[in-house]
Amino acid sequence: MALRNVINKNDDILRKKCRTVEKFDGRLHMLLDDMAETMYKAAGVGLAAPQVGILRRAVVIDVGEGLVELINPVITEAKGSQRDIEGCLSCPGEWGFVERPMNIIVEAFNRHGEEVTYKCSEYFARCVCHELDHLDGKLFIDIADEMADPDSIEEEQQK
Ligand code: CO
């Protein structure tokens, strides 16, 4: 495993639409391992492949319940809404309020190419939505309805 550099929001690569993962091979596993290591090292709760410069539809998330890897994820159901503060490892020092669904169902593949389905709510749902936005070149700062004062944020987590 190896740490990878996290790309800053000013880099155009974060604005591109990622392509579907087609091979569930050792190279993908290495990418996912590196992404997880990079996320944990940065004390983040999620990381999307474009944030390490790879334009493929893969994300890792850990909201405190263990590592979740989502390959080619699609949200198939979204209900309710919640508004809370978000940050991003690609936007250091920036925080903003974003409205997200309260409950979602996300269908994806695991690293072995097997179908997986997660029912997510609250913070987990927020995090999945945030990471999936990265796969389409979208950042939370695009959709935040209000930016927050960084000095008022103590231990918020970054995605
Ligand atoms: Co992010």
Side-chain angles (χ1 to χ4, degrees):
M1 299 220 287
L3 288 176
R4 302 209 184 188
N5 286 328
V6 177
I7 288 177
N8 186 271
K9 65 169 184 176
N10 298 321
D11 195 315
D12 284 349
I13 202 157
L14 290 179
R15 296 310 193 167
K16 296 187 173 161
K17 193 171 165 71
C18 296
R19 286 170 295 154
T20 303
V21 172
E22 281 159 7
K23 290 183 185 167
F24 295 82
D25 57 6
R27 204 169 160 191
L28 174 68
H29 298 175
M30 187 182 297
L31 170 65
L32 292 167
D33 290 344
D34 289 355
M35 285 169 60
E37 187 178 356
T38 304
M39 172 183 75
Y40 287 126
K41 174 84 177 177
V45 294
L47 192 69
Q51 290 181 279
V52 294
I54 306 295
L55 290 172
R56 291 286 180 175
R57 305 188 78 80
V59 309
V60 295
I61 292 171
D62 189 339
V63 291
E65 294 165 15
L67 181 64
V68 173
E69 298 174 338
L70 301 174
I71 318 299
N72 301 335
V74 178
I75 291 171
T76 56
E77 200 177 302
K79 286 184 179 166
S81 75
Q82 54 170 324
R83 180 180 179 272
D84 210 337
I85 208 155
E86 289 187 22
C88 180
L89 293 174
S90 294
C91 311
E94 291 191 86
W95 305 94
F97 290 89
V98 182
E99 191 163 333
R100 302 284 190 187
M102 181 59 91
N103 300 289
I104 61 167
I105 294 175
V106 60
E107 294 182 8
F109 294 90
N110 66 17
R111 63 166 58 202
H112 305 295
E114 298 157 345
E115 290 180 29
V116 290
T117 302
Y118 290 90
K119 282 187 178 178
C120 319
S121 57
E122 300 181 31
Y123 192 55
F124 187 20
R126 166 175 304 283
C127 194
V128 169
C129 292
H130 177 112
E131 300 313 329
L132 266 58
D133 277 353
H134 276 297
L135 304 181
D136 292 318
K138 218 191 301 178
L139 300 177
F140 87 94
I141 50 176
D142 305 336
I143 54 172
D145 58 61
E146 181 189 348
M147 294 308 284
D149 175 5
D151 294 334
S152 68
I153 313 295
E154 286 182 1
E155 290 196 348
E156 282 293 335
Q157 291 165 304
Q158 297 176 302
K159 301 176 189 71

